[in-house]
Amino acid sequence: MVTRPSRDRSLPTFISLVVLGILLMTFDVRLQGEGVVQVLRSGTQAVVAPLQKAAAFVVNPVADVIDSMSNVVALREENEVLRAELAEAEADLVAVQDQIARLELFEQLYALDSDIPVLGRTVANVIGRPDPSDASIIIDKGTSEGIVVGQPVIDTNGYVVGTVRSVSLGTATVVPITAGREAITVLVGSQVGIVTPQVFSSEMSLTIDMRLEVFDAREPVLAGDRVVTSSVSSSYPAGLPVGVIVFDAVPSTNSLTAVVRPFVDPDRLRLVVVLAWPPDPLASTDTTTTTVPATTTSTTGEG
Amino acid sequence: MRSRTVALVVGSIVVAVVVQTTLFGRLRLITPDLVMLLCIMLAMTRMRSEAVLAASFLSGLMVDLLGSSLLGLRAIVFAAVAFIALRTADRADIGRAIMAVWAGGLTMMGVLLIIVIGTVFGEASLLGAGAGSRLIWVPVANLILAALFAPLFVRLVDRDRTAFRYL
């Protein structure tokens, strides 16, 4: 039998802790995760990160085996689909070679320079998640590899995953776009809009799709239309694929609302790429340099 | 003796957080909430109620700091779970199965609280794909782990080999 002292102060203690917790939540909402909260997160990550990395070194092979065994059928099907896509992509590549050669010739003839900056990329392994209820992911690269809070993250196909929320020396936490609180400025066709995470219920299931809002809509959007990041966005470089329109939508008094299904499922991520965005402002304003040199610090995944 | 208990509790919390974020962060099968389970198991020990509540609050805060959700959300929830556990621990101490079901029930309450409080404060992603399965499988996983490890944990913390010896 569990016995407790007669002077039990658990209720006042509990009430005090709840009040403190609500204050912390309000504080975090007001600061929007910046300032002191950011410092606390980074500090805690710095303390726990070495243990997480050591545990991930042992755990990841075991988790991979369990994952593979439980998904054998799905993996085989996915393998077949990927083989077909690879064959198609190789055929497209052959077709495009001639056009690339012509482009290079024109660039030489007319002394054209590409002004598209080449972004630094850091490949990182996904080593875990903070909590079953938390959609964010933890990666095994941190400030020692040049990762900075706010940098955009994409998957190996180039699809948008999210942004770096907090970073320590050896790890970083990435918040997926489906779990973040900030909207993303996107482009659908020629129309600029914003997407925000939204919970939709469909046939007894809840899905995290995204809500697209275009405030100056001129034309409808169709199911299957591709949504990409806009050049107006300050969080992502332009042109990164975000998702696809789920249902047709028509403008209603200059505004349009649609559902976007993201390309990336954060639960299935194993490798991500962190982009060095925005690029170094000094290098981008230097007129004697035509392109920003690639500072790729790619690291192969676990192996 | 007291410092030993503190070291054991702190070490358990750190191990639970690390295992939760790495092993169970990767597996998509049954995923327990080890830190919440630890708070429930602490309520079964002879530790002072205030210490149990404080440890639960701080462990929840640690999980919040490692994640991206609102700071203080899991701190409140874990403290609430620990408070209910403290108030009902006597009724659960009649058998391993009852104790396990009690731990699973508290876990379900905790998951529900995370979803409700988080949604009220704007964390829409908590109420999304997987919310229903989390409400079922996280408590089931905690129920199984509690049945297997809770008595041993209590004996270790209280240094009492006769504690929770079920027939």
Side-chain angles (χ1 to χ4, degrees), chain A:
Chain A
M1 182 76 71
V2 177
T3 56
R4 305 261 171 225
S6 57
R7 295 181 63 186
D8 183 16
R9 296 190 195 90
S10 60
L11 184 59
T13 307
F14 173 62
I15 292 171
S16 305
L17 290 173
V18 168
V19 170
L20 178 61
I22 291 173
L23 285 174
L24 286 173
M25 290 169 74
T26 311
F27 203 49
D28 192 14
V29 169
R30 290 289 298 269
L31 288 178
Q32 295 181 335
E34 310 272 323
V36 171
V37 175
Q38 187 68 52
V39 172
L40 286 174
R41 284 191 201 272
S42 299
T44 308
Q45 260 188 293
V47 169
V48 179
L51 300 172
Q52 286 177 322
K53 281 187 147 179
F57 183 76
V58 174
V59 153
N60 280 349
V62 176
D64 285 340
V65 168
I66 295 173
D67 256 350
S68 302
M69 285 167 55
S70 64
N71 290 316
V72 168
V73 174
L75 281 173
R76 284 191 182 134
E77 288 174 1
E78 194 179 352
N79 201 17
E80 290 302 317
V81 169
L82 287 172
R83 283 179 196 273
E85 286 180 5
L86 177 62
E88 209 175 306
E90 284 174 344
D92 288 343
L93 183 61
V94 169
V96 128
Q97 292 296 340
D98 182 50
Q99 292 177 352
I100 291 173
R102 293 181 70 197
L103 176 62
E104 287 171 353
L105 176 62
F106 287 137
E107 283 176 353
Q108 283 179 359
L109 282 174
Y110 297 104
L112 298 173
D113 293 318
S114 170
D115 60 357
I116 300 171
V118 179
L119 299 175
R121 295 165 176 247
T122 306
V123 179
N125 291 306
V126 175
I127 61 173
R129 293 171 63 171
D131 190 82
S133 306
D134 195 331
S136 55
I137 57 177
I138 302 172
I139 61 175
D140 66 350
K141 295 289 192 301
T143 53
S144 57
E145 284 87 10
I147 306 295
V148 171
V149 171
Q151 285 180 332
V153 179
I154 60 176
D155 71 354
T156 50
N157 294 316
Y159 300 147
V160 170
V161 173
T163 53
V164 176
R165 174 68 180 267
S166 61
V167 62
S168 66
L169 190 64
T171 61
T173 302
V174 176
V175 178
I177 55 174
T178 52
R181 287 173 240 166
E182 294 85 25
I184 306 170
T185 309
V186 297
L187 195 65
V188 186
S190 60
Q191 302 185 99
V192 176
I194 58 169
V195 288
T196 48
Q198 194 85 36
V199 177
F200 292 95
S201 73
S202 166
E203 295 177 353
M204 303 292 290
S205 69
L206 293 171
T207 59
I208 292 281
D209 283 332
M210 304 194 79
R211 181 191 183 94
L212 167 72
E213 290 178 278
V214 179
F215 298 112
D216 185 25
R218 300 177 296 279
E219 54 194 35
V221 295
L222 302 176
D225 282 353
R226 208 168 160 91
V227 179
V228 298
T229 52
S230 166
S231 57
V232 180
S233 171
S234 59
S235 302
Y236 298 90
L240 296 179
V242 174
V244 65
I245 299 291
V246 178
F247 305 112
D248 295 351
V250 294
S252 167
T253 58
N254 279 357
S255 68
L256 179 150
T257 302
V259 177
V260 176
R261 181 144 305 144
F263 286 122
V264 172
D265 179 3
D267 286 344
R268 296 185 178 276
L269 287 172
R270 295 293 170 259
L271 281 178
V272 296
V273 179
V274 185
L275 300 178
W277 175 268
D280 182 0
L282 292 178
S284 62
T285 55
D286 183 358
T287 55
T288 62
T289 308
T290 54
T291 58
V292 175
T295 53
T296 305
T297 55
S298 61
T299 308
T300 55
E302 57 190 350

Side-chain angles (χ1 to χ4, degrees), chain B residues 112-166:
Chain B
L112 202 56
L113 273 177
I114 289 174
I115 292 172
V116 168
I117 299 175
T119 306
V120 165
F121 277 82
E123 298 280 306
S125 61
L126 291 172
L127 185 68
S133 64
R134 280 202 309 274
L135 261 179
I136 297 168
W137 293 115
V138 174
V140 166
N142 273 14
L143 183 154
I144 295 170
L145 290 176
L148 293 173
F149 298 113
L152 175 63
F153 179 79
V154 171
R155 280 178 227 135
L156 276 174
V157 173
D158 289 343
R159 300 188 85 187
D160 180 0
R161 294 183 184 179
T162 63
F164 286 82
R165 288 279 178 190
Y166 301 116

